Amino acid sequence: MSNPLLDVQALPRFADIRPEHALPALTETIAGHRRRLDRLLDDRRARDFDSFVVPLEDMHHELARIWSPIGHLHSVLEDPGWRDAYNACLPLLTEHGTELAQNKALQQVFEQLAGALGPEAPEAQRTLIEKALRDFRLGGVALPEAEKTAFREAMQELAAVQAKFEQNLQDATDSWHLQTDDPELLRGLPEQTLERAKADALLHGESGWRLNLDYPTWQAVITHADDRRLRKRFYDAWSTRASDQGGFGQWDNSGNIERILALRHEIARLVGFANYAEYSLATKMAAKPGDVIDFLNELSERTRAAAERELAAVQELAPEPLEAWDLNYWLEQLKQQKFSIADEVLRQYFPVDKVTAGLFELAEKLYGVRLSRKEGVATWHDTVRYFEVRNESGEAIGGFYTDLYARNGKRGGAWIDECIVRKCLAGSKVPPVGYLVCNFSPPNEAGVSLLTHNDVVTLFHEFGHMLHHLLTRVDYPSLAGVNGVPWDAVELPSQFMENYAWSFDVLARASGHHATGEPLPRELFDRLEASRHFGAALAMLRQLEFALFDFRLHAEYAPEHGAAALRVLAEVRDDVALVRHPEYNRLPQSFSHIFAGGYAAGYYSYKWAEVLAADAFAAFEEAGIFDRETALRFRSEILEIGGSRDFMQAYVAFRGRKPTLDALLRQSGIGKAA
């Protein structure tokens, strides 16, 4: 087969795939799907679920498999060719998706199938039909032709502008660095950060140290640098990326924010919603915008007093009034003073390979799955690994790639994505495969990468998402894994898994000093555990600030006033934030979760899912955190069901009741007090 992207019989052929393969593969596949759909619609024989929906699911699955490597390689490689290929493909993919959503003949067949499915039909089939009909409505199927065209054009432009937002942020971040020959300026920085900065300087023909603006370096500086001037320089650069401030003007996202919000508002209004917040909630658990605002405000009110106490304690230690670039540093100093524990001490016990092995062992203990590295699988970078997942009987049920280290050209943050979605239709069974991506500090010359405990928590979080993708038992791709799951529930499995990163029994197996192999000592863990709630209320308020800003921005948008992003942010900070940020702070211009990712009018999902996760883990605490019966119930009622049933009903089936806010407050050490 000349185009390796069209080979969907096995894992992607990453050794062969090139940017020039992307557009031809997508063009050919979509053209073929259009012909297949025309034949399906022209066939007037009696239609049923298997004869009509199953072929559509096959097409959906095939297209997703071809698009997956394109989108993924664009995110993880410093290759302008992949950006060009991605940008060329995006309009075609967006057009095809909107075309399907607005196909009246297709929608009418789904209406007929909905009427023909009796109560004895499998729940997954009924749910698939219901969600398809919902998506037809959200895609503008009922609009007059002129408004359909306006909707399609808005969706096309929105996809392009969101991609441009992410690319501007990547370019701005990669453009900045600080070179210094002064070791005093770097006092307090972790040895791993200094080693990498020294190596980067040599790589670029520079003397001294070269500090980039990737997340591990930014986090190390803002948390550990003794020199306040250095912390401020990094704060200034990080908080003005891709904006009109800080010398990043050529990548300024201000205009993109204006256009993104205008397009989202237009799309929502065209299909009958007052604003994009309402449109967003059509696919979530929350019923109406007021419910979200009330939830966030209640959580803020119940957190504020604890956050004020935390801030006062930090301010008491700091020698000058706290600024935004001081808080993380003095929090770390106070944590060391109170608990005699430092990130750098903990880091020595968390080499990546040891943490990964312990994490996999935990999955086996809870769910009976076995994970092992598979050699000889083609990847896109020499640090990428592939792991195979088998069930208790030894049957291969899926696999995943890990790409764990920061590098130029790679999108920041941590995420999982689908490489292949599970499918079991018409005698064809395809197991799921995923990508697990992080941005940890790269290995040193000895090949060792040491994680902070926060990094460990991040890895557990993303692995929770991966288990959700891998353990699904739903046969239909559009409902398998995370597909069809309400966005405000999709973070439950990930945040649930974070709890195990605070278990001594788990960390004793997921740690080993990089020099001696000694597991994390109990005494050191006890100090870590005692510090768990340290700064939790301030962190909670920070997340609530993001969530309220996002939701209000979309709920209150008015075309005549424009985005008003900085005004809305200032108002939210006045109401919620305890730490003041300078006027030049440009958080919105780098807030890719909501302007380029899937969290638009949905960032609150992190907090709502945290409630679900805390309440779910409480069930394990009651039975024993490794209790197999509870774990298998969580697997069957939450991890395996994908989007095949009502999520709250599934949660109640697992827990025996609806979740409560108190579990999150207790777990965060905030309690019930206001």
Side-chain angles (χ1 to χ4, degrees), residues 204-222:
H204 287 85
E206 299 171 348
S207 61
W209 296 265
R210 178 188 175 103
L211 299 170
N212 297 316
L213 200 56
D214 55 75
Y215 182 80
T217 305
W218 141 258
Q219 187 64 28
V221 170
I222 210 71

Side-chain angles (χ1 to χ4, degrees), residues 602-650:
Y603 197 84
Y604 79 90
S605 301
Y606 280 106
K607 283 296 139 194
W608 174 239
E610 227 177 300
V611 171
L612 295 171
D615 194 74
F617 192 70
F620 282 78
E621 291 174 316
E622 293 158 12
I625 66 169
F626 303 116
D627 181 69
R628 194 63 183 279
E629 183 181 339
T630 308
L632 292 180
R633 193 168 72 249
F634 186 77
R635 176 176 174 169
S636 64
E637 300 293 355
I638 303 295
L639 297 177
E640 292 182 349
I641 65 163
S644 66
R645 62 182 297 201
D646 179 86
F647 199 86
M648 184 55 78
Q649 290 179 10

Side-chain angles (χ1 to χ4, degrees), residues 81 95 132 149 174 563:
E95 178 187 12
T149 300
D174 288 346

Side-chain angles (χ1 to χ4, degrees), residues 345-351 354-355 450 504 507-525 527:
V345 173
L346 289 167
R347 187 198 290 268
Q348 309 308 310
Y349 290 92
F350 294 128
K354 188 65 178 177
V355 175
L450 301 176
F504 177 71
L507 291 186
R509 307 286 297 178
S511 62
H513 194 282
H514 71 96
T516 67
E518 175 196 8
L520 185 71
R522 179 77 210 205
E523 180 267 339
L524 192 54
F525 170 80
R527 283 188 270 144

Side-chain angles (χ1 to χ4, degrees), residues 117-407:
L117 279 181
E120 72 285 350
E123 184 176 18
Q125 292 187 6
R126 295 198 307 273
T127 302
L128 191 155
I129 296 292
E130 289 167 7
K131 289 184 175 178
L133 290 172
R134 176 202 67 191
D135 292 344
F136 280 121
R137 180 173 69 89
L138 295 178
V141 71
L143 294 175
E145 201 54 47
E147 292 183 359
K148 276 187 175 180
T149 300
F151 187 97
R152 286 196 301 272
E153 291 173 351
M155 291 293 285
Q156 285 274 19
E157 186 181 354
L158 180 61
V161 181
Q162 289 179 161
K164 183 62 176 175
F165 183 102
E166 185 69 57
Q167 292 160 7
N168 277 353
L169 178 58
Q170 184 69 62
D171 290 345
T173 302
D174 288 346
S175 75
W176 193 94
H177 75 277
L178 183 148
Q179 185 279 332
T180 183
D181 294 310
D182 181 7
E184 280 301 299
L185 185 67
L186 307 180
R187 230 174 346 100
L189 291 185
E191 188 61 35
Q192 185 166 270
T193 304
L194 294 173
E195 288 177 0
R196 184 180 175 209
K198 176 73 77 173
D200 279 345
L202 286 172
L203 186 66
H204 287 85
E206 299 171 348
S207 61
W209 296 265
R210 178 188 175 103
L211 299 170
N212 297 316
L213 200 56
D214 55 75
Y215 182 80
T217 305
W218 141 258
Q219 187 64 28
V221 170
I222 210 71
T223 306
H224 299 291
D226 294 332
D227 194 302
R228 197 183 193 207
R229 296 167 302 164
L230 181 61
R231 298 199 305 269
K232 186 177 186 301
R233 287 180 73 175
F234 265 79
Y235 172 87
D236 289 354
W238 187 263
S239 66
T240 58
R241 291 174 300 156
S243 78
D244 59 345
Q245 304 289 310
F248 293 114
Q250 72 184 95
W251 302 289
D252 184 12
N253 269 330
S254 302
N256 290 330
I257 290 173
E258 291 286 344
R259 194 63 191 140
I260 287 167
L261 289 171
L263 289 166
R264 287 174 179 168
H265 188 75
E266 179 186 355
I267 286 164
R269 292 298 300 269
L270 280 168
V271 291
F273 294 91
N275 51 62
Y276 192 81
E278 287 188 3
Y279 179 88
S280 170
L281 293 187
T283 57
K284 295 179 172 65
M285 295 175 75
K288 56 184 184 295
D291 294 344
V292 175
I293 295 295
D294 288 348
F295 164 69
L296 295 173
N297 283 336
E298 180 186 357
L299 200 48
S300 175
E301 290 165 8
R302 296 178 69 173
T303 302
R304 191 173 188 85
E308 288 172 342
R309 291 192 295 270
E310 290 177 354
L311 186 62
V314 179
Q315 183 61 78
E316 190 175 328
L317 179 65
E320 61 269 310
L322 287 170
E323 299 286 358
W325 46 89
D326 297 321
L327 182 62
N328 283 30
Y329 176 80
W330 288 108
L331 268 169
E332 176 66 14
Q333 298 300 307
L334 184 57
K335 184 172 77 172
Q336 293 183 33
Q337 185 183 95
K338 285 172 67 74
F339 306 105
S340 300
I341 192 165
D343 282 349
E344 279 315 290
V345 173
L346 289 167
R347 187 198 290 268
Q348 309 308 310
Y349 290 92
F350 294 128
V352 165
D353 290 345
K354 188 65 178 177
V355 175
T356 303
L359 179 57
F360 293 173
E361 185 179 310
L362 171 64
E364 180 174 344
K365 181 180 288 190
L366 290 175
Y367 306 119
V369 294
R370 293 177 174 82
L371 302 97
S372 58
R373 183 177 171 187
K374 186 175 182 180
E375 303 282 359
V377 175
T379 69
W380 54 93
H381 193 270
D382 58 10
T383 61
V384 173
R385 304 287 180 261
Y386 183 80
F387 295 90
E388 195 169 58
V389 185
R390 295 182 178 273
N391 61 20
E392 288 175 300
S393 64
E395 177 191 8
I397 60 170
F400 62 100
Y401 301 86
T402 61
D403 185 350
L404 300 181
Y405 307 115
R407 56 180 177 267

